[in-house]
Amino acid sequence: MSFEFNATKRDVQGSSASRRLRRAGRVPGVIYGAGKPAESFDVDHNEIYQCLRKEAFHASVVTAIVDGQKQDVLLRDVQLHAYKPLVLHVDFQRVDANTEVHTKVPLHFINGDVCPGVKLQGGIVSHVTTELEVACLPKSLPEFIQVDLAYLEMGHSLHISDLKLPAGVRVHVHGGDNSVVAAVLGVKGSNADAGAAANEGAAPTA
């Protein structure tokens, strides 16, 4: 899926100018990085709001069209109103086709309802991790990483090292972290719960 948005370069800075933009239905933002000066812009609120509602927009290389000039960017930060459906500010980082990007990508879990730990042993799936930071070239950036739970049994878990990553993508972890991504747990007070306790610490399964 590809995304783009249209924006207008802005020269006036400051909180007062930003408030005027918001009253006019515009959202202030900035594009920075790739060894170029930061560039301030404003974008139609409804346009950027609809983009932000799509999960893939948060983990995709996006085309920003500022005064007709296109540039590839990644969403880096969003400021939202505390209780209203309003976008207050957006930050984007320029990307270079030949330079790795580091960004967080959501995990999509499949087959959790048919894995042995749930279907046969009465457990429930716990999604311990819902997103991972990855490193890859912009062209290889996935919208999500699929996690197949089809063979997960009671008391067992999937770790980062068990994931099948898209070509050209690696998980960016610190200090050799191999955290649990998902596990099948017993329902409290059930026989399945006792079985899970007995299996606690079992080797991860693929």
Side-chain angles (χ1 to χ4, degrees):
M1 184 180 297
S2 59
F3 296 95
E4 65 178 35
F5 65 90
N6 294 282
T8 302
K9 185 176 180 180
R10 63 185 176 99
D11 297 317
V12 181
Q13 308 289 327
S15 56
S16 295
S18 294
R19 284 194 294 269
R20 287 194 296 270
L21 282 172
R22 295 180 187 118
R23 285 196 295 268
R26 308 286 294 179
V27 177
V30 64
I31 296 174
Y32 60 88
K36 300 178 181 179
E39 181 178 7
S40 297
F41 67 88
D42 59 84
V43 59
D44 178 76
H45 180 275
N46 289 337
E47 181 176 1
I48 200 67
Y49 181 75
Q50 292 304 320
C51 287
L52 290 168
R53 292 184 63 187
K54 298 177 174 65
E55 180 189 62
F57 184 81
H58 296 254
S60 296
V61 176
V62 176
T63 301
I65 308 174
V66 183
D67 288 347
Q69 300 297 312
K70 294 184 177 181
Q71 48 190 316
D72 292 334
V73 298
L74 271 175
L75 180 66
R76 284 309 190 192
D77 189 51
V78 181
Q79 294 178 28
L80 302 172
H81 192 279
Y83 56 89
K84 295 180 181 179
L86 294 175
V87 184
L88 302 180
H89 195 278
V90 286
D91 288 6
F92 290 90
Q93 181 181 3
R94 297 184 188 94
V95 299
D96 183 297
N98 299 311
T99 303
E100 270 195 348
V101 296
H102 292 200
T103 192
K104 290 182 179 179
V105 172
L107 302 181
H108 285 189
F109 298 89
I110 63 170
N111 294 323
D113 57 336
V114 297
C115 70
V118 172
K119 190 172 183 179
L120 302 179
Q121 299 166 318
I124 58 173
V125 175
S126 173
H127 298 152
V128 181
T129 304
T130 57
E131 62 181 13
L132 287 175
E133 185 173 350
V134 303
C136 62
L137 292 176
K139 67 178 181 180
S140 300
L141 182 63
E143 294 177 5
F144 61 87
I145 294 173
Q146 185 167 281
V147 182
D148 191 352
L149 305 176
Y151 302 104
L152 198 59
E153 297 186 359
M154 175 69 68
H156 288 208
S157 56
L158 283 178
H159 292 70
I160 292 175
S161 60
D162 299 316
L163 300 182
K164 183 178 181 180
L165 301 176
V169 177
R170 59 186 175 85
V171 176
H172 184 65
V173 296
H174 303 281
D177 180 41
N178 190 27
S179 299
V180 173
V181 173
V184 176
L185 306 177
V187 178
K188 189 173 183 179
S190 68
N191 291 333
D193 189 40
N199 285 326
E200 186 175 355
T205 60

